[in-house]
Amino acid sequence: MGATQSGGNGLERVRAVALDVDGVLTDGGVWWGPGGQEWKRFSFADIMGVSLARRAGLRLTLISGEDSPLVDRYADKMHIEHVFKGCRDKAGALREFAAATGIPLAEICFMGDDVNDLPAMQIAGFSAAPASASLDVRSSVNFISKCGGGNGAVRELVETILTARGLRAPDVFFQTPTTRPSKKTSTDYL
């Protein structure tokens, strides 16, 4: 497919963004504590990117091969309703998300980083990967961020989508949202 970095490539049609978690929202690393606890690091740049996407009216879903409670915690914090965990068939999950939201696959962007993401990327209308993605993925997507996974790749993708729609991040952030979650949380500033 070849990587592109600018508008005029279908991004203006994107109405939803599907994100892998490990390697996209995180750097792909995991820390295990002595008691078996699992920790993952999420970037505030990507948290703002997700917030901007939500404020711009984009629908979001997380599609993760891992069945981690940290995925649920992130989704809850960021008000992401559609979550698929422990997912072995990411293309099937993407189809399910499309059916649940009524958004055609052609209007969904999938961002992933490894070979298990390729089937979903192939059916999505637009595909993206962080700079740290595997070579097989980077050679198959429409967009490669300059940032690595867990280090602003999602923010970069979202800002590129906004630009394709003729929007700027500050304008989206400071507009009065048309829909707000009814429950106030610590992420309302985002």
Side-chain angles (χ1 to χ4, degrees):
M1 279 185 206
T4 57
Q5 297 295 141
S6 60
N9 50 21
L11 276 174
E12 64 280 353
R13 292 189 321 262
V14 169
R15 293 175 45 210
V17 178
L19 301 168
D20 178 30
V21 177
D22 294 307
V24 173
L25 284 166
T26 76
D27 64 6
V30 63
W31 293 294
W32 284 306
Q37 313 91 325
E38 182 178 302
W39 294 290
K40 297 176 191 260
R41 178 192 159 279
F42 294 92
S43 162
F44 268 97
D46 291 326
I47 288 170
M48 180 57 81
V50 168
S51 178
L52 288 167
R54 205 177 64 239
R55 286 173 178 263
L58 294 170
R59 300 293 298 270
L60 297 157
T61 184
L62 302 180
I63 302 177
S64 178
E66 293 295 311
D67 188 12
S68 169
L70 297 174
V71 174
D72 293 320
R73 185 167 180 208
Y74 185 89
D76 185 51
K77 180 177 181 73
M78 298 309 302
H79 310 289
I80 299 173
E81 176 183 351
H82 301 277
V83 179
F84 302 86
K85 298 186 323 177
C87 187
R88 299 294 170 245
D89 178 9
K90 293 187 178 186
L94 191 61
R95 284 186 189 97
E96 189 176 328
F97 170 70
T101 59
I103 298 173
L105 288 167
E107 297 175 3
I108 300 174
C109 172
F110 186 95
M111 186 176 220
D113 73 307
D114 218 329
V115 295
N116 60 329
D117 298 314
L118 287 171
M121 292 174 153
Q122 291 165 349
I123 65 168
F126 195 86
S127 57
S132 54
S134 74
L135 178 59
D136 289 319
V137 169
R138 285 183 283 130
S139 65
S140 301
V141 298
N142 305 108
F143 174 88
I144 302 169
S145 68
K146 293 176 184 150
C147 299
N151 289 295
V154 172
R155 169 73 176 266
E156 187 178 337
L157 171 64
V158 169
E159 287 191 349
T160 304
I161 293 169
L162 295 178
T163 298
R165 293 172 145 197
L167 301 170
R168 293 179 51 247
D171 299 331
V172 170
F173 183 80
F174 292 111
Q175 74 181 358
T176 303
T178 56
T179 58
R180 295 287 298 183
S182 58
K183 182 175 108 180
K184 289 275 187 194
T185 68
S186 63
T187 58
D188 283 345
Y189 72 95
L190 296 175

